[in-house]
Amino acid sequence: MSVEPIFVLVRDGGEPVEGGRPVLVVAGVTRRVVGRVLDVVVMGAAVALIALVATRVMEVAGPKGAAAVMGVMTVADMAVVLLLRTGALALFGWTVGQRLAGTRVVDAGTGEPFRGWRAAAGRRYVRRSRASLGVLDDLLSLTSDRALRRCDHDRRAGTIVVRAGRAHPRPPGV
């Protein structure tokens, strides 16, 4: 039997209600922004580390090997970004930045962790309604949805970002 979760804002509390339905506390704007900033910092550090290693390898390889090293570095950078953003979400239901900020992504219908490669890629690479604004589009969407704090990619993927560890467990047999 499926039990539909209840999503509440932080200010609303988060006590179990209506026969033990799980209560998930929606992540606030600050936590979401901090998570995104931490994701950028982690990805930047990983890309910088790859660039540092590539620079050292180019010094050893000389001019003839520089093109090959640059190609490998480019592929490694793309793989790191893919794994840190999409891969972590697909495997764990959160990115590194979200984990550090204390949030996670859940399915809006079930409240279960949002996982899977296809689902994560669909959430990550969805077309934005105001694409010309870039990341600002997420902030505008996030602040305009006062009930669930969802960005365009959350609405289209059917997800909600909640505070990690703030779900009340379902009672046995439900």
Side-chain angles (χ1 to χ4, degrees), residues 1-171:
M1 179 178 170
S2 176
V3 177
E4 191 173 309
I6 299 170
F7 295 96
V8 297
L9 294 174
V10 175
R11 69 175 177 272
D12 295 335
E15 297 302 315
V17 295
E18 296 184 37
R21 287 169 59 188
V23 177
L24 298 165
V25 180
V26 175
V29 174
T30 303
R31 279 185 189 267
R32 292 200 61 179
V33 170
V34 167
R36 181 68 58 92
V37 168
L38 289 171
D39 276 336
V40 169
V41 168
V42 168
M43 284 187 293
V47 168
L49 181 62
I50 291 169
L52 180 66
V53 169
T55 302
R56 299 292 180 233
V57 171
M58 279 194 280
E59 289 173 358
V60 173
K64 290 186 179 183
V69 171
M70 289 301 290
V72 169
M73 183 182 87
T74 302
V75 170
D77 286 343
M78 292 186 321
V80 161
V81 171
L82 178 71
L83 288 174
L84 286 176
R85 292 287 298 172
T86 307
L89 184 60
L91 296 173
F92 310 113
W94 41 258
T95 64
V96 174
Q98 287 172 331
R99 178 71 174 182
L100 293 172
T103 64
R104 62 189 168 98
V105 181
V106 298
D107 183 278
T110 65
E112 298 295 322
F114 186 75
R115 294 189 181 126
W117 284 96
R118 176 175 277 170
R123 182 178 186 273
R124 173 77 175 114
Y125 300 106
V126 71
R127 186 177 167 274
R128 300 174 191 284
S129 62
R130 295 173 292 262
S132 62
L133 297 178
V135 175
L136 288 177
D137 175 46
D138 284 348
L139 191 56
L140 290 172
S141 299
L142 184 63
T143 55
S144 66
D145 182 357
R146 299 205 186 277
L148 297 175
R149 300 283 185 225
R150 296 185 348 166
C151 297
D152 285 343
H153 60 268
D154 291 315
R155 277 191 288 284
R156 291 184 180 151
T159 61
I160 297 177
V161 178
V162 297
R163 291 183 55 182
R166 291 295 304 242
H168 295 282
R170 291 186 174 129

